[in-house]
Amino acid sequence: MSSPPRTPLVVLGAGLTGLSAAWHARGPVLLVEREARVGGHARSYRRDGFTFDVTGHWLHLRDSSIRALVEGLFGPGELATVARRTCIHSHGVQLPYPFQANLHGLPLDVVQECLVGYVAAREQAARGAPEPQSFVGFAEARFGAGIARHFFVPYNRKLWGEHLERLTAEWVSRYIPIPDTAQVIGGAIGLAQEGLGYNASFLVPTAGGIDAIPERMRAGLAQRPEVELRLGSDIEEIDVVGRRIKLSTEADWRRYDSLVSSIPLPELVRRMPAAPPEVRDAAGALRHVRWRYLDIAVGAPTPCDYHWVYVPEPRLPFFRVGVYSNAAPRMAPAGCSGLYVELNERTGPIDLAAIYAGLVEVGALRAAEDVRFVEVRVVEHAYVVFDAAYTAARGVILGWLEGQDILSCGRYGGWIYNSMEDCLLAGRAAGHWASARLGGREPR
């Protein structure tokens, strides 16, 4: 009997991480994707001249080599750099982002509460208070009880849902701007503190749609005969002992020497019957947040100029609203606008009347009558949950996979919180990892 066909490197998932892994690997690669197109969450939907991404996908690039890769995918004028315009809707007023550095405009008693709490938190820190372990504790210790109560707790309760009370502070260091005392005081008296945070500017494809990046990468990989892309093919089983995978589109097994995975970490373990009980238990301990959001096509210009707004107010049915067409005008027909609305509730009926009223309040919509159509979208794996079980469970799984010559990486493969650039970097590292391993020994 002949042995199953062999590909030295198999990459699971053709999102940005998997595409980057195949892009940077040397030698034959099989890239497997369950969906009918590449991109993962970096995809776009189109209808009646409107383009919608999977909520806000704004590309922030800091690494020069990744910037060169992305820019090399496009011709002159096909990418635009956009200065971020972001705000917060709180207590019925619109504040510049971030909240903690732009308190001016809030009711005076709220400003006082926030400043007094901030000073108290700084005094506590100066006395050597222990580093908080929970996210809520982090917000209170770093910014004070008032800022935590009026922004960080209500906003993140809407975003994380039931998981907020168990959330650690492990993920926040890069993504939450931490202004100094002068900036906090300046923002409270009306000196706008802007440009804070890691994403002060971003790139967008001028034609509209973040899927241009993965599609250009797919086209580049198609020019390389050593790369085989299988779309619409799920992974039914992974035999880690025999180094084989079983695809839904193939009758036979496919052998590999090294395996790179970017699919969600618990899903990877579920496809491995040989995974030991402690690894299965660890996979069962990992949690994630499911999102439901709306794409809204509006047959009129939006009244606002922001790219997205954070909405901590519990009475409003969404926690973030973005305007695609304010960043890339061609994502909507002339005279129209396109919105994404991230909802508080993950299940149950959607109250469109309340949503439209809220959108009018935050300035994203002039009138409900301007809405042309609405699409309801679901992201099963939106954010991974950093709770008390996270670090140990993730370590058990990744450690065992490493012993099987398997690298699981990217936002969901590595079970982390990161950016699109980070995914491209993780894929590049994975491609180099696989090439080094395969170059150091004869294929099995």
Side-chain angles (χ1 to χ4, degrees), residues 196-221:
L196 298 175
Y198 78 102
N199 56 357
S201 65
F202 54 89
L203 291 175
V204 294
T206 55
I210 198 63
D211 63 347
I213 295 171
E215 286 296 338
R216 298 287 176 97
M217 295 184 74
R218 179 198 59 77
L221 290 172

Side-chain angles (χ1 to χ4, degrees), residues 53-87:
D53 294 336
V54 180
T55 74
H57 265 75
W58 317 118
L59 184 62
H60 322 284
L61 297 179
R62 300 177 299 172
D63 183 272
S64 59
S65 61
I66 294 298
R67 177 175 284 274
L69 187 159
V70 172
E71 291 178 343
L73 298 171
F74 295 87
E78 291 187 322
L79 277 179
T81 299
V82 179
R84 181 194 68 204
R85 297 194 301 272
T86 312
C87 58

Side-chain angles (χ1 to χ4, degrees), residues 243-431:
R243 296 188 182 231
R244 307 181 301 168
I245 61 169
K246 183 70 174 66
L247 304 180
S248 61
T249 54
E250 292 187 357
D252 205 351
W253 291 79
R254 180 76 72 102
R255 294 181 62 223
Y256 65 85
D257 293 295
S258 286
L259 185 68
V260 169
S261 175
S262 64
I263 70 173
L265 195 54
E267 293 296 313
L268 177 65
V269 173
R270 187 175 64 81
R271 289 163 168 80
M272 296 176 164
E278 62 270 20
V279 172
R280 293 188 173 281
D281 290 345
L286 296 178
R287 300 284 179 266
H288 67 274
V289 172
R290 179 179 186 267
W291 272 5
R292 184 168 59 164
Y293 72 96
L294 306 179
D295 283 331
I296 300 183
V298 183
T302 181
C304 68
D305 70 345
Y306 56 69
H307 299 127
W308 66 91
V309 57
Y310 300 96
V311 186
E313 301 242 19
R315 63 185 176 81
L316 292 173
F318 42 75
F319 57 88
R320 184 164 51 192
V321 175
V323 185
Y324 297 112
S325 48
N326 278 352
R330 290 170 66 182
M331 293 183 75
C336 299
S337 48
L339 315 178
Y340 64 88
V341 182
E342 295 170 335
L343 303 178
N344 306 346
E345 299 299 328
R346 273 62 168 177
T347 59
I350 295 173
D351 186 347
L352 285 177
I355 290 169
Y356 294 158
L359 292 174
V360 170
E361 178 177 336
V362 303
L365 185 67
R366 185 189 62 83
E369 292 73 26
D370 291 337
V371 174
R372 287 192 179 179
F373 65 83
V374 178
E375 297 279 4
V376 181
R377 309 282 188 197
V378 174
V379 179
E380 179 57 42
H381 295 88
Y383 283 3
V384 306
V385 174
F386 295 81
D387 57 15
Y390 167 84
T391 300
R394 178 176 177 271
V396 166
I397 298 169
L398 295 181
W400 179 76
L401 290 173
E402 183 180 1
Q404 314 305 313
D405 220 12
I406 297 172
L407 178 62
S408 190
C409 58
R411 180 162 182 157
Y412 304 105
W415 209 247
I416 54 177
Y417 179 42
N418 70 357
S419 67
M420 287 189 285
E421 180 187 46
D422 293 327
C423 289
L424 292 168
L425 286 166
R428 182 180 69 183

